[in-house]
Amino acid sequence: MIEQIFFIIFAALAIISALGVISLRNPVHAALSLIVCFFQIACLFVLLRSPFLAVVQVFIYVGAVMVLFLFVVMILDIKKVSLGVLVTRRSKYIYFFLVGLAIELIVVLTGGFQKLILDTPGEEVKIEVIGRVLFTEFLFPFELVSILLLVAMVGAIIMIKDAEKEGAK
Amino acid sequence: MIPVTWFIVLSVVLFMIGVAGVLLRRNLIIMLMSVELMLNAVNINFAAFAYYLQDLRGQVFVVFTITLAAAEVAVALGILIALVKNRSVTNADELDSLKG
C-alpha cells in the first residue's frame, strides 16, 4: 500500500517534469526539469529493488549527461539560440499520431501482462551478482560497449577540433 | 505490491512525451533531451520486467542502455557544437543542405 502511494508521487512528479522539458522555452529550464525527472526515475528504480540502477542513473545521467547538456547550453550563448517555437503546420496530425500510438502501446503492453503479478515480492539484486553476470554471460557485449565508448570519445574530439579549425580560418 | 501495469503505463506516458518533444519542438537541444526521455522510459520497462520476472538480464540491459545514451549524447553534442560554430544553426528546420 505504502509502495503504491510512493509510486504515485514519483510517477506524477516524473510526468509533470517531463512535460516541463518539452514545454519550457528556455533550454536551461528544460534541462533542470529533465534532471528532476531523472531523479524520480532513480526513485522508481529503488522501488523496483534495483539500487545499483538507481545509483548509476544518478551518477551517469544527472552527473555526466545533464552536466554536459548544461555545459553546451552555456557555450552556445543562449541569447542567440532560437527559443524554438512549437510547430503549428502539421501539429494536428502529430497529436492524432501520438494519441493513436499511446492507445496502441497501452493496449498491447498491458493486455499481454495482466496476469503478471507475483505474490512474493522480489528480492533485492546484489551488485556482486550483476557484476558476475556482466563479466561472464555478457562479456562480449561488455567489450563491444567499451569499444563503442572509445569510438564515441574519439569522434567527439575530432569533430570539435575540425570545427575549431574551420572557425579560425 | 505495485501492479506491473502501472509501470507500463508510466513508461508509455513518458515515451509519448518524448516523442511529442521530438516532433513538436524544433530546438536541437530540446530534441536531444526528448530522446533521453524516451530512453529512460524504456529503461523503466526493462527494470520493471527484470523485477517482476525475477530475471537479472533486464538490469544488465539497462546498464548497457545508459552507456549507449552517454556515448550518443557525447557525439550528438559534438555535432551540435560543430553545427553552431560553422553555420550558427540550432533550429532543426534550417538544416536542409542535404535536401535534393
Side-chain angles (χ1 to χ4, degrees):
Chain A
M1 186 59 203
I2 195 124
E3 272 191 347
Q4 297 183 356
I5 295 171
F6 273 108
F7 175 86
I8 290 171
I9 295 172
F10 295 146
L13 277 176
I15 290 173
I16 291 169
S17 53
L19 284 174
V21 173
I22 65 164
S23 56
L24 290 172
R25 298 278 144 158
N26 193 331
V28 175
H29 296 165
L32 293 177
S33 182
L34 192 56
I35 288 176
V36 174
C37 186
F38 285 163
F39 268 116
Q40 306 311 316
I41 292 172
C43 298
L44 288 171
F45 284 154
V46 174
L47 279 187
L48 286 169
R49 308 289 190 286
S50 32
F52 176 66
L53 289 186
V55 171
V56 166
Q57 171 93 4
V58 172
F59 275 8
I60 295 183
Y61 266 119
V62 181
V65 171
M66 291 319 292
V67 168
L68 204 60
F69 265 111
L70 286 174
F71 205 73
V72 168
V73 172
M74 186 192 77
I75 288 177
L76 291 186
D77 185 15
I78 202 154
K79 271 160 267 159
K80 260 192 264 169
V81 170
S82 61
L83 301 177
V85 221
L86 290 175
V87 188
T88 45
R89 286 173 283 132
R90 329 167 282 220
S91 56
K92 199 167 59 179
Y93 303 107
I94 290 175
Y95 289 129
F96 193 68
F97 167 76
L98 285 177
V99 172
L101 195 57
I103 292 172
E104 183 186 338
L105 275 177
I106 288 179
V107 167
V108 170
L109 284 175
T110 56
F113 301 104
Q114 201 70 263
K115 304 236 167 65
L116 192 71
I117 299 166
L118 301 179
D119 294 330
T120 52
E123 283 174 21
E124 196 166 299
V125 179
K126 295 257 171 18
I127 296 179
E128 294 93 21
V129 185
I130 295 180
R132 200 168 296 134
V133 173
L134 203 58
F135 283 108
T136 53
E137 195 183 340
F138 286 89
L139 184 63
F140 183 61
F142 184 81
E143 299 292 340
L144 277 186
V145 159
S146 59
I147 292 174
L148 179 102
L149 274 179
L150 181 69
V151 170
M153 190 173 75
V154 173
I157 292 172
I158 285 178
M159 258 182 302
I160 302 293
K161 270 186 108 171
D162 280 358
E164 274 175 359
K165 231 181 271 171
E166 292 193 14
K169 271 174 200 169
Chain B
M1 196 71 188
I2 308 165
V4 68
T5 47
W6 290 20
F7 282 102
I8 294 173
V9 171
L10 172 70
S11 74
V12 168
V13 170
L14 284 182
F15 192 86
M16 282 304 125
I17 294 173
V19 176
V22 172
L23 290 178
L24 292 173
R25 295 298 296 264
R26 295 288 93 184
N27 190 332
L28 280 172
I29 294 178
I30 307 264
M31 285 168 83
L32 272 177
M33 287 184 199
S34 304
V35 171
E36 294 302 309
L37 205 56
M38 282 151 72
L39 283 170
N40 266 280
V42 174
N43 281 351
I44 293 176
N45 249 348
F46 269 128
F49 281 111
Y51 176 51
Y52 285 101
L53 296 175
Q54 298 288 306
D55 194 339
L56 204 59
R57 294 185 185 87
Q59 291 201 23
V60 176
F61 240 95
V62 175
V63 175
F64 284 138
T65 316
I66 291 176
T67 321
L68 282 180
E72 172 237 330
V73 164
V75 173
L77 288 179
I79 293 175
L80 187 63
I81 290 182
L83 269 177
V84 174
K85 283 244 168 81
N86 288 335
R87 310 192 26 203
S88 60
V89 168
T90 52
N91 189 331
D93 281 339
E94 293 168 19
L95 297 171
D96 52 1
S97 51
L98 279 183
K99 208 174 184 178

